[in-house]
Amino acid sequence: MTDRTRLALAIDALTGLSVGDAVGNQAFPPHLRVRAPIHPPEVWSWTDDTQMACSLLDVLDRHGTVDQNALAKAFAAHAETFRDYGMGALQFIDHVLHGGGWRAINAKLFDGAGSWGNGGAMRVAPLGAYFHDDLRKAAAEGAASAEVTHAHPEGIAGGVAIAVAAAHVTAHRGRAVPDLFETVLAHTPAGDVHDGIRRAGELRDRPASEVADEVGNGSRISAPDTVPFALWTIGEHLDDYETAIRTCTLVGGDMDTMAAIVGGVIAAHHGALCVPTEWLEAREPLPRWFTL
């Protein structure tokens, strides 16, 4: 497996991630009764999900692994703070930009508990595609990526789960994907994320709203209430990118992050051609510094 091939697979995942992020960012909460747009009236902007995924993929391209110090610096250097960064991320960015160490700031966030947010999961699908031929490696690299911004075990577990999911579906391109939930659970540490994924797997064929009510829709911006529904959506709609993304918007919550996770994993499996052309054309161009 050449680095060039790995990178091409990862870029497919990034395409699906960034378009999902952009669609979710334009959607309206279900209670407003406004559907996600079908025909793009203007450019659809993406959020910190895409910005951080670009930094992660850039580091993989330069180092072939998650160099955590390089990744922390990349996250801080490339951040545009109007991209919907959370308060913890903004503190992280400011600290690193002023020469502070990433471990020191992580240990202080959220009264010393560390972040258990969904940031480790939202950006990691391209990494999973990159390491698709070794699930243990994908899990370890997913954890390393999440650790840079998330000291809490649940935040790290979210990154591991989505990295493994993306790796597993990429390894089965052009074929049916066996045992998605079982494979992810086998590599995800015990805890709330793991338990939520297991429960989501038990709710197959249920209405999306019912599943979101039980396992979460990302409204708390945490890994435990985001990753399980994302994996349920992937399991239900792996062969239909558009339906999967619309499902993320119809249950409300953290719609851009949910759609970024789902879109990245599905495009990792099918390639970028599964993304509707109209949506891709409407998506804001990726950052100018991102030249892969």
Side-chain angles (χ1 to χ4, degrees):
M1 181 65 61
T2 67
D3 289 346
R4 186 172 181 179
T5 300
R6 293 183 186 281
L7 190 60
L9 295 169
I11 289 174
D12 279 349
L14 178 64
T15 299
L17 183 157
S18 60
V19 173
D21 181 21
V23 173
N25 195 35
Q26 313 313 307
F28 294 89
H31 68 271
L32 295 180
R33 298 183 180 179
V34 179
R35 296 175 61 192
I38 298 175
H39 300 291
E42 56 189 14
V43 173
W44 295 348
S45 61
W46 35 262
T47 75
D48 56 327
D49 304 38
T50 296
Q51 195 157 61
M52 298 184 87
C54 288
S55 292
L56 175 55
L57 188 48
D58 178 62
V59 168
L60 286 177
D61 181 46
R62 290 188 285 116
H63 297 274
T65 188
V66 175
D67 182 308
Q68 292 179 309
N69 293 326
L71 186 59
K73 292 177 181 178
F75 283 157
H78 296 143
E80 297 170 299
T81 54
F82 62 86
R83 299 282 184 187
D84 296 336
Y85 285 89
M87 287 304 299
L90 292 174
Q91 291 177 55
F92 171 91
I93 290 164
D94 182 70
H95 182 83
V96 174
L97 283 177
H98 287 86
W102 59 270
R103 291 187 188 276
I105 184 61
N106 278 353
K108 294 179 180 179
L109 292 176
F110 300 97
D111 298 322
S115 172
W116 72 337
N118 54 28
M122 74 187 186
R123 63 187 184 236
V124 81
L127 178 151
Y130 192 91
F131 293 110
H132 67 278
D133 54 338
D134 187 339
L135 292 182
R136 289 186 179 180
K137 179 73 169 174
E141 295 283 344
S145 167
E147 285 170 0
V148 173
T149 48
H150 293 69
H152 196 287
E154 297 296 343
I156 297 169
V160 170
I162 299 303
V164 170
H168 185 56
V169 301
T170 304
H172 290 85
R173 271 203 175 194
R175 296 176 287 153
V177 177
D179 304 323
L180 175 63
F181 282 86
E182 293 83 351
T183 300
V184 172
L185 286 170
H187 292 86
T188 302
D192 292 342
V193 171
H194 185 282
D195 293 346
I197 294 169
R198 187 186 67 243
R199 181 58 182 147
E202 295 169 350
L203 297 172
R204 303 298 296 272
D205 301 321
R206 299 287 185 87
S209 59
E210 180 181 326
V211 178
D213 285 344
E214 180 147 351
V215 303
N217 63 358
S219 59
R220 287 184 281 178
I221 322 297
S222 75
D225 90 316
T226 302
V227 171
F229 185 81
L231 285 168
W232 179 88
T233 305
I234 292 163
E236 292 294 292
H237 303 296
L238 182 60
D239 294 326
D240 190 340
Y241 179 96
E242 181 172 346
T243 296
I245 298 302
R246 289 192 182 281
T247 299
C248 295
T249 68
L250 291 174
V251 298
D254 193 355
M255 294 180 287
D256 57 284
T257 291
M258 195 73 75
I261 294 171
V262 170
V265 173
I266 292 178
H269 179 59
H270 290 288
L273 290 177
C274 73
V275 178
T277 302
E278 207 169 34
W279 287 7
L280 181 57
E281 291 175 348
R283 185 210 64 190
E284 175 189 6
L286 294 178
R288 291 185 178 182
W289 61 263
F290 185 74
T291 57
L292 299 183

